[in-house]
Amino acid sequence: MTTAVVSSLVLLPLVAGPAAAAGGHDGRPAGDRPLRQLAADDRLRVGTAVDMAALAQDAPYRRAVGSEFSSVTPENVMKWDALEPRRGEYDYAAADRLVRFARGSGQKVRGHVLVWHNQLPSWLTGGDFSATELREILRRHITETVRHFKGRVWHWDVVNEAFDEDGTLRDTLWLRALGPGYIADAFRWAHQADPRATLFYNDYNIAWAGPKSDAVLALVRTLRAEGVPVQGVGFQGHLGIQYGLPTGVAANFRRFERLGVRTAVTEADVRMILPADEEKLRTQAEGYRLLLDACLRTRHCVSFTVWGFTDKYSWVPGTFEGEGAANVLDESYTAKPAYRALQAALAGRARPRAVR
Ligand code: G3I
């Protein structure tokens, strides 16, 4: 069976914005409400990464972003290479467009990302800077960026993917020049620039217990003991069904929450080896369900974000050859079993939440 015949629901006619969020006016039967409506009942933000070219050019895409989601994450336009392509020349235009869209749609913005080893401008990676210069460049980048969006970004992914799979710190430009202290510095600088934004450490392959997740836990424990303002941990949630689905995710989230931080699923997608078939799509749906379910079972899990929502626009085929179909809608915006699984999980949650 192809994805197109899994469901007859095509998500095109939904009305964007707060009107849709208010609920009940889009002609859908009860129980078939947009994700943001279902999540609002539970004070959970349900978000998506947004591709700004698609948002500008593709009206169905734009409508679905507005109607289905209550938070947005820029997929690329808040990364350093986009914000400062040439040294000292800042370009906030695309990021500002998303922030305005979010405001008009009653959505929060998850800022992504301040410190990462990817998507750095070439003037920076090829610059041959001293450690002192690099520290000042990083301080300035964080300060300028967070100040620019002050009051308009809800969560910041301050440090992204700083660990390797074995739990050692990843060998990056930042670690080599500045040592491990760059992580604490980054959180302190971001907090100074916008004390009201919630500051996250974000990584992949940490949704279940293991050396990497243990290392992030130890880092967060140490930072908080030192008074460093790390306030959340983002579990990206990039899964591939060929690797099997993780277990123990909710228990893992809870051990982070015991340190006093919020948790969030920040980049969920569940890829597969193509072509998709009915069984793979069922397993994919189970992958999405278990990530959302872990969030719903965890008292301070504040948001659940998918890394794109339609197979029409996805980073996966360009990165993993022969893989794809990772999103909850197919390329024609038709709901896959994964979308139904998210609806069902949101509609069926069973516990009071204590979201902070
Ligand atoms: O902007 C250039 C454009 O000028 C050029 O013409 C085009 C030609 O390839 O490339 C464009 O840059 C691409 C960029 O996305 C913007 O579209 C890069 O090649 C491409 O590598 C880049 O991919 C992004 C990837 O991060 C980079 O690491 C994906 O879209 C984005 O989904 C992905 O997101 C990351 C999160 O930030 C962190 N966690 C993992 C996640 C998935 O890899």
Side-chain angles (χ1 to χ4, degrees), residues 4-233:
V5 294
V6 167
S7 163
S8 59
L9 175 71
V10 178
L11 297 170
L12 299 188
L14 299 186
V15 180
H25 306 302
D26 53 28
R28 288 179 172 198
D32 185 18
R33 294 188 289 155
L35 301 177
R36 69 180 288 174
Q37 278 185 28
L38 293 164
D41 296 349
D42 206 27
R43 293 188 299 137
L44 176 77
R45 292 276 169 170
V46 59
T48 183
V50 176
D51 175 327
M52 289 308 289
L55 193 76
Q57 293 156 16
D58 184 337
Y61 180 93
R62 193 161 52 245
R63 280 197 295 274
V65 173
S67 59
E68 289 291 331
F69 301 100
S70 50
S71 82
V72 288
T73 307
E75 186 173 0
N76 286 300
V77 298
M78 278 189 198
K79 292 172 179 173
W80 200 329
D81 63 350
L83 292 181
E84 195 185 4
R86 281 161 298 281
R87 192 171 185 192
E89 282 181 36
Y90 299 94
D91 183 357
Y92 297 112
D96 285 344
R97 272 200 297 282
L98 181 61
V99 171
R100 275 197 303 277
F101 177 91
R103 192 185 184 127
S105 307
Q107 295 165 325
K108 299 274 195 194
V109 177
R110 292 202 82 262
H112 177 84
V113 50
L114 296 172
V115 189
W116 196 24
H117 57 278
N118 274 337
Q119 286 171 289
L120 295 171
S122 52
W123 64 261
L124 174 57
T125 50
D128 200 22
F129 296 107
S130 70
T132 310
E133 286 170 322
L134 266 183
R135 187 164 191 275
E136 178 52 21
I137 287 169
L138 183 62
R139 188 196 64 75
R140 192 184 162 93
H141 171 70
I142 292 173
T143 304
E144 298 279 326
T145 305
V146 176
R147 252 194 218 144
H148 177 84
F149 296 105
K150 186 173 180 182
R152 301 184 296 153
V153 163
W154 177 47
H155 291 170
W156 269 110
D157 288 335
V158 177
V159 177
N160 193 41
E161 301 173 7
F163 285 94
D164 277 324
E165 296 306 302
D166 65 359
T168 58
L169 282 174
R170 187 192 289 267
D171 179 24
T172 66
L173 172 71
W174 308 117
L175 183 69
R176 276 196 299 279
L178 310 179
Y182 82 87
I183 297 176
D185 285 341
F187 281 98
R188 290 195 178 106
W189 292 328
H191 184 65
Q192 273 162 19
D194 185 354
R196 299 188 66 180
T198 306
L199 305 183
F200 277 70
Y201 176 83
N202 191 52
D203 216 327
Y204 60 87
N205 290 354
I206 60 164
W208 52 93
K212 191 174 185 180
S213 178
D214 293 352
V216 175
L217 187 78
L219 171 79
V220 171
R221 182 183 290 121
T222 304
L223 291 177
R224 287 185 62 83
E226 292 169 353
V228 177
V230 51
Q231 297 143 347
V233 173

Side-chain angles (χ1 to χ4, degrees), residues 284-311:
Q284 174 184 58
E286 178 56 16
Y288 274 100
R289 190 204 60 77
L290 77 83
L291 289 173
L292 175 57
D293 187 59
C295 184
L296 290 169
R297 286 171 186 278
T298 309
R299 287 172 68 79
H300 302 294
C301 185
V302 289
S303 70
F304 175 85
T305 293
V306 292
W307 204 244
F309 59 92
T310 164
D311 293 337

